[in-house]
Amino acid sequence: MVLFRRLLGDVLRGRRTELGLTLREVSGAARVSLGYISEIERGQKEASSELLFSLCDALEMPLSDVLREVADAVAVEEAALVAAAPTPISPRRAGEVVASAA
């Protein structure tokens, strides 16, 4: 869940900076406290669906686009985890003998 919150915050912050908006401007437009928006952008707080919709409205970005960007970022993170994971050892079948390389 922390990964999702962090990536959601990254997408929202990226959009806000793209538009050249300050936290204060988004806070006023979304009618959400500046501190709470800041915590969402840093991935420290979860945004309810209603709050997320208000933020998207203030950022002139459809919620579906935000979620799509977050999903793409999650996929990248997952691929990196899979690539870094050790190769699992296959279980032996019953009666299978492992030959020594001696």
Side-chain angles (χ1 to χ4, degrees), residues 55-99:
L55 288 173
C56 289
D57 191 42
L59 295 170
E60 301 171 350
M61 184 177 197
L63 177 58
S64 58
D65 287 354
V66 170
L67 295 176
R68 191 174 301 110
E69 284 189 39
V70 173
D72 290 346
V74 169
V76 169
E77 294 280 340
E78 284 177 331
L81 288 174
V82 168
T87 306
I89 298 172
S90 300
R92 292 188 202 139
R93 295 182 195 151
E96 183 178 357
V97 177
V98 177

Side-chain angles (χ1 to χ4, degrees), residues 19-102:
L19 295 173
L21 298 173
T22 65
L23 280 171
R24 187 170 309 283
E25 291 168 324
V26 173
S27 172
R31 297 179 180 241
V32 178
S33 79
L34 187 140
Y36 199 71
I37 293 174
S38 176
E39 289 178 324
I40 290 169
E41 283 190 1
R42 289 181 282 143
Q44 296 175 338
K45 294 282 184 180
E46 288 185 34
S48 68
S49 56
E50 294 84 2
L51 174 61
L52 193 51
F53 187 79
S54 292
L55 288 173
C56 289
D57 191 42
L59 295 170
E60 301 171 350
M61 184 177 197
L63 177 58
S64 58
D65 287 354
V66 170
L67 295 176
R68 191 174 301 110
E69 284 189 39
V70 173
D72 290 346
V74 169
V76 169
E77 294 280 340
E78 284 177 331
L81 288 174
V82 168
T87 306
I89 298 172
S90 300
R92 292 188 202 139
R93 295 182 195 151
E96 183 178 357
V97 177
V98 177
S100 167

